[in-house]
Amino acid sequence: MQNGRKVLTEELAFEILSAIEEIPPGCVATYGQIARLIGRPGNARLVGRVLSMAEFFGSYPCHRVVNSQGRTAFTFTEQRSRLEEEGVRFLENGKVDMKHFRWDG
DNA sequence: TCTGTGACGAGCG
DNA sequence: ACGCTCGCCACAG
């Protein structure tokens, strides 16, 4: 069965968001990391898509998701300050110190 | 069906 | 370290 079937269903969206809920405060996870957690490796962009509309589904710690380089989202300006409030520190280059703050889930 | 786009990732010069 | 290219998957038009 693969006929006109949507992949990004509301159910999948909540699956992604609940995975994001498990990221402990003071830590960050990458899009690819979350994608693997839900059994969809290589679908990091799907995670980003859901996060872009996360506000529609409720309140989730979407600020704890950065890209593989530790870069915060361009369109999400509050992300850095929210992370810093939790104790996540940034390097001189403006990236999260992934060595110390990446979540190992 | 083809094409462009995106809160991505990995490689390379 | 930085920017470019390519690969990736789902979706909209």
Side-chain angles (χ1 to χ4, degrees):
Chain A
M1 305 273 285
Q2 62 235 51
N3 219 340
R5 215 67 65 289
K6 272 180 61 177
V7 172
L8 183 39
T9 58
E10 195 172 292
E11 183 179 331
L12 177 56
F14 278 114
E15 190 179 347
I16 292 175
L17 291 169
S18 57
I20 288 171
E21 263 185 327
E22 295 178 24
I23 308 172
C27 294
V28 298
T30 69
Y31 298 94
Q33 198 176 340
I34 300 298
R36 288 191 295 275
L37 273 181
I38 65 170
R40 285 176 170 278
N43 258 25
R45 310 190 89 135
L46 184 68
V47 176
R49 187 180 295 281
V50 170
L51 257 51
S52 69
M53 42 179 136
E55 203 171 347
F56 174 81
F57 293 100
S59 49
Y60 296 88
C62 48
H63 59 282
R64 297 188 191 130
V65 183
V66 296
N67 67 21
S68 63
Q69 307 169 49
R71 252 300 194 209
T72 55
F74 177 69
T75 55
F76 191 1
T77 55
E78 309 173 38
Q79 186 170 18
R80 174 165 180 159
S81 55
R82 285 197 197 172
L83 286 173
E84 289 180 322
E85 285 175 24
E86 296 184 347
V88 175
R89 287 189 285 174
F90 286 69
L91 302 174
E92 293 301 319
N93 53 21
K95 298 177 182 176
V96 172
D97 186 351
M98 298 300 276
K99 271 290 187 184
H100 301 124
F101 298 99
R102 177 172 174 145
W103 176 48
D104 39 332

